[in-house]
Amino acid sequence: FVRHAKSEANESQIIELEDSEVKLSQTGIRQAKSVGMRFRTISIDIILSSPYKRTLQTAQCIQEVTGKEIVLSDLLRERKHPSHLSGKHMEDEYVLGVRKTLMEHLHDREWHDSDEENNWDMLQRAEAAVGFIQARVEKSIAVVTHSAFMKAMLTFMMF
């Protein structure tokens, strides 16, 4: 499992509603190339990746070293955040208040602040993503995804 390298949004700390087109920063490009080089000694059969630009860029750095095919899956995409936070800084008081409220409702399967993917929605998608990975015929698979979603998949697999 590989988390995409540092993105422009990570550096600016601005929440993007349509973050599927957010690219790697210059630092992220260096990080992705470094991760790719690690695959000189890691044997893989295929690379599965979120279709988001930053994950695809990271996966392509792995592909440059391994020559392996990249298969995109929307199951591996980033968690959908509330759209009313778009354009706001992650440390904005309003954003921090919404995040606090989201955490207070973390274990409520039915609760949504607005149009976001709540914890339970993400765990269901994680279950589907793990099933997608397990159904692959390849035995050694590199998965390039996002931090929050990677945690959701690992939580699902562990529990």
Side-chain angles (χ1 to χ4, degrees):
F1 287 91
V2 176
R3 186 237 189 222
H4 67 79
K6 193 170 202 166
S7 71
E8 293 172 342
N10 295 137
E11 286 189 357
S12 71
Q13 294 197 335
I14 300 298
I15 298 169
E16 301 280 346
L17 176 58
E18 292 298 325
D19 66 353
S20 62
E21 291 303 312
V22 172
K23 300 179 294 188
L24 293 179
S25 65
Q26 289 304 311
T27 299
I29 291 169
R30 287 190 300 277
Q31 290 172 336
K33 287 180 179 180
S34 176
V35 166
M37 294 307 290
R38 291 182 183 180
F39 279 85
R40 288 181 301 186
T41 59
I42 301 172
S43 177
I44 59 171
D45 300 320
I46 196 162
I47 305 163
L48 304 180
S49 176
S50 158
Y52 285 21
K53 184 79 171 175
R54 59 195 178 273
T55 47
L56 181 56
Q57 287 177 291
T58 304
Q60 288 168 333
C61 288
I62 297 168
Q63 183 184 48
E64 287 175 14
V65 171
T66 64
K68 300 301 179 179
E69 176 186 8
I70 298 172
V71 174
L72 303 179
S73 174
D74 197 49
L75 289 170
L76 300 171
R77 67 176 165 72
E78 178 64 283
R79 171 185 219 150
K80 184 178 184 311
H81 298 286
S83 60
H84 60 90
L85 300 183
S86 182
K88 294 185 175 19
H89 193 276
M90 290 183 180
E91 298 299 320
D92 179 279
E93 270 188 56
Y94 178 72
V95 172
L96 294 174
V98 170
R99 287 190 165 178
K100 181 177 184 234
T101 302
L102 291 170
M103 288 304 295
E104 289 168 357
H105 294 276
L106 185 67
H107 301 290
D108 185 343
R109 294 175 189 243
E110 303 302 320
W111 189 87
H112 287 82
D113 173 72
S114 59
D115 59 348
E116 80 282 356
E117 181 178 41
N118 73 16
N119 192 54
W120 295 100
D121 299 333
M122 193 164 58
L123 284 172
Q124 286 181 317
R125 182 163 55 88
E127 180 179 9
V130 169
F132 168 71
I133 294 165
Q134 288 176 325
R136 300 291 309 187
V137 296
E138 300 87 2
K139 296 296 178 212
S140 183
I141 300 172
V143 177
V144 185
T145 188
H146 307 265
S147 177
F149 190 65
M150 186 184 309
K151 290 173 189 173
M153 284 195 303
L154 293 172
T155 298
F156 172 76
M157 290 187 287
M158 288 172 39
F159 300 104

